[in-house]
Amino acid sequence: MSRKDEDRILHGLHYYRESIDEEFTATSGEILWLAAHSYIDGGSWYKDGKLQSFDCSVIPIELRRKLLMSKFELPLRYLHYRRLIKFTQGRDGSVAVAVTFAGADRAMRLHTRVGRMEVWYQEHRDGFLGIVTTIAVSLITALVAVAVTERLHGSFAEPPRLIYELGSKSQP
């Protein structure tokens, strides 16, 4: 299980309906399809009048339970724990899922590359990479500001005039 799997699942769940707190039913194969595909593909989860699904029958039975636990149950539980979705598990392996307001907000930020960078930064800003990123952005911003100021000052200001003396002013 990874945060990327959870984000892809959340993104696909939100963009399937684009509504908040509206419950719908999905099977484990359909959720697995979301975990296995990119954000761009997740937008086309609903195709030809039905949700696309992962065929679990190609997975050996002894590995199928582990796959369902790591790529289906745990991400949904974690999203529910973080209050990004509401879900209830059915007896037949399906789940009733509803995306919350916080989940919809995160899914909308995950929809663009800049939004995904923002989400990454918000999660890592207290760590080493977040501090290095903050320092690098601050340094680049300062350098660009100095360069722009120098260019503006250089184009509007007249160069200083140098006055040369050819001879001395006073002669005794």
Side-chain angles (χ1 to χ4, degrees):
M1 175 179 81
S2 72
R3 181 67 55 97
K4 289 183 180 181
D5 292 340
E6 296 160 9
D7 285 343
R8 286 192 300 263
I9 290 170
L10 178 64
H11 178 263
L13 291 174
H14 173 68
Y15 280 99
Y16 167 58
R17 291 279 176 105
E18 292 189 32
S19 62
I20 297 172
D21 290 332
E22 185 180 318
E23 209 171 80
F24 64 93
T25 304
T27 64
S28 58
E30 293 164 349
I31 302 294
L32 286 175
W33 188 92
L34 283 175
H37 287 80
S38 69
Y39 294 105
I40 296 169
D41 293 338
S44 62
W45 184 36
Y46 186 73
K47 189 175 183 181
D48 298 331
K50 62 180 183 173
L51 296 174
Q52 296 196 40
S53 181
F54 181 78
D55 184 16
C56 292
S57 65
V58 297
I59 307 295
I61 294 176
E62 58 272 1
L63 296 176
R64 193 175 304 161
R65 177 73 185 134
K66 291 180 182 178
L67 173 73
L68 288 175
M69 178 62 89
S70 67
K71 298 291 184 183
F72 170 68
E73 291 177 26
L74 288 177
L76 288 179
R77 284 184 190 170
Y78 191 69
L79 289 169
H80 179 71
Y81 173 75
R82 290 175 53 205
R83 297 186 177 152
L84 299 174
I85 66 168
K86 296 175 189 172
F87 89 101
T88 54
Q89 195 152 1
R91 293 182 182 159
D92 59 348
S94 63
V95 291
V97 181
V99 179
T100 64
F101 183 78
D105 180 52
R106 183 177 176 93
M108 285 186 274
R109 285 191 283 148
L110 291 170
H111 196 61
T112 63
R113 187 178 309 266
V114 173
R116 287 190 293 273
M117 288 175 14
E118 177 189 349
V119 167
W120 178 89
Y121 178 73
Q122 292 295 325
E123 291 174 354
H124 294 89
R125 70 177 168 204
D126 295 332
F128 177 73
L129 287 177
I131 291 171
V132 169
T133 303
T134 303
I135 291 169
V137 168
S138 300
L139 182 65
I140 291 169
T141 304
L143 290 174
V144 167
V146 167
V148 167
T149 303
E150 288 291 323
R151 182 157 297 208
L152 287 176
H153 180 69
S155 65
F156 291 123
E158 164 179 328
R161 295 184 182 171
L162 297 176
I163 302 172
Y164 296 101
E165 293 184 19
L166 296 175
S168 64
K169 289 185 179 181
S170 64
Q171 290 190 358

